[in-house]
Amino acid sequence: MKKIVAGNWKMNLNHKDAVQLVDQLLSGVGSVSGVELIIAPPALYLAEFSSRLNSNAGIKLAAQNVYHRESGAFTGEISAGMLASIGLEYCIIGHSERRQFFGETDESVALKVTALLSHGIKPIICVGEQLDERYASKHFEVVKTQVTAAIESLAPESSKQILIAYEPVWAIGTGQTATPEQAQEMHAYIRTLLTDKFGTAANEIPILYGGSCNAQNAKELFALADVNGGLVGGASLKSADFLTIANSF
Ligand code: PGA
């Protein structure tokens, strides 16, 4: 199973600071081995960083979002074909912030998965319950709905191209990380959902944990049987922390 640590920069860092962070990561990435390191900077910087981070750089790039249509009159949007044209390998979709603030739905996530796969880009599909849903013991049901919607129309061979990120919304940016028990329990559950769809191939689909993953708790999280890496927000903005997380397997 591939181990993955992805940094979701969200809407942070002006150009100068973003370039500096890439420089710092490039000088430290030599210490990381056996882990696929991915960064998701703001879309504005992707083309430039893509030429800097050539295939030997040891750092892969992800977009934070995509629009599912091929091209046309969709002001402000970026297509999967455009991302592919600058050599992107990954794209985060369905992040809870996009669901909360930008009207992302299970339906739009499913369309984006299809669009990305048709251009050879691997979707990092984010799922996760809100705090009230967990209190109401609806977290499995919520995550099942999200995962199912994203994968149900996929062909069997797509299992090799997708990644899931379990990000309990109450853990994102709050410092309140899921406990190892909560994380493993949900990751194992997601694995059963993937197995129902893809059979044993599901064992090779990376399931990342996200939500206040940091340099202190990554080791414990990454030791869990069904946690195959992390999707890191705040802690990905500091190169030393991000590299420590990448070295936590
Ligand atoms: P966080 O964000 O690490 O800052 O909690 C994670 C994410 O939203 O991907």
Side-chain angles (χ1 to χ4, degrees), residues 105-192:
T105 61
D106 287 341
E107 291 70 34
S108 62
V109 170
L111 291 169
K112 290 174 184 203
V113 173
T114 308
L116 289 167
L117 291 175
S118 75
H119 285 280
I121 298 175
K122 301 182 180 97
I124 302 173
I125 304 162
C126 300
V127 299
E129 81 286 356
Q130 312 265 350
L131 189 58
D132 59 334
E133 293 165 337
R134 180 163 279 267
Y135 280 148
S137 296
K138 288 192 174 143
H139 43 299
F140 291 115
E141 189 185 319
V142 168
V143 168
K144 180 179 183 177
T145 304
Q146 293 172 338
V147 172
T148 307
I151 64 171
E152 67 186 348
S153 68
L154 299 185
E157 61 271 18
S158 303
S159 69
K160 294 190 187 65
Q161 302 296 321
I162 64 168
L163 299 82
I164 306 287
Y166 170 57
E167 301 202 303
V169 179
W170 46 271
I172 296 176
T174 59
Q176 193 191 341
T177 318
T179 65
E181 294 72 28
Q182 288 170 329
Q184 170 54 27
E185 175 182 62
M186 186 59 85
H187 281 234
Y189 178 64
I190 292 171
R191 185 85 61 205
T192 66

Side-chain angles (χ1 to χ4, degrees), residues 7-186:
N8 176 10
W9 292 11
K10 309 190 181 183
M11 195 174 75
N12 290 298
L13 306 182
N14 63 29
H15 182 258
K16 184 166 153 277
D17 295 337
V19 168
Q20 189 176 50
L21 181 52
V22 168
D23 288 343
Q24 290 167 345
L25 291 172
L26 281 172
S27 60
V29 69
S31 70
V32 179
S33 70
V35 178
E36 180 113 308
L37 208 58
I38 304 171
I39 56 170
L44 183 62
Y45 312 145
L46 287 172
E48 176 190 341
F49 291 177
S50 181
S51 7
R52 271 203 76 190
L53 303 176
N54 57 39
S55 50
N56 301 320
I59 302 173
K60 300 281 176 72
L61 275 177
Q64 298 178 13
N65 184 33
V66 67
Y67 189 56
H68 71 275
R69 297 288 293 267
E70 229 8 80
S71 64
F74 304 104
T75 302
E77 295 299 318
I78 296 172
S79 72
M82 292 173 187
L83 296 177
S85 75
I86 59 159
L88 247 68
E89 189 170 334
Y90 295 96
C91 182
I92 296 170
I93 47 168
H95 190 281
S96 66
E97 287 148 18
R98 295 222 53 92
R99 293 179 192 256
Q100 183 181 350
F101 302 124
F102 302 99
E104 190 89 272
T105 61
D106 287 341
E107 291 70 34
S108 62
V109 170
L111 291 169
K112 290 174 184 203
V113 173
T114 308
L116 289 167
L117 291 175
S118 75
H119 285 280
I121 298 175
K122 301 182 180 97
I124 302 173
I125 304 162
C126 300
V127 299
E129 81 286 356
Q130 312 265 350
L131 189 58
D132 59 334
E133 293 165 337
R134 180 163 279 267
Y135 280 148
S137 296
K138 288 192 174 143
H139 43 299
F140 291 115
E141 189 185 319
V142 168
V143 168
K144 180 179 183 177
T145 304
Q146 293 172 338
V147 172
T148 307
I151 64 171
E152 67 186 348
S153 68
L154 299 185
E157 61 271 18
S158 303
S159 69
K160 294 190 187 65
Q161 302 296 321
I162 64 168
L163 299 82
I164 306 287
Y166 170 57
E167 301 202 303
V169 179
W170 46 271
I172 296 176
T174 59
Q176 193 191 341
T177 318
T179 65
E181 294 72 28
Q182 288 170 329
Q184 170 54 27
E185 175 182 62
M186 186 59 85

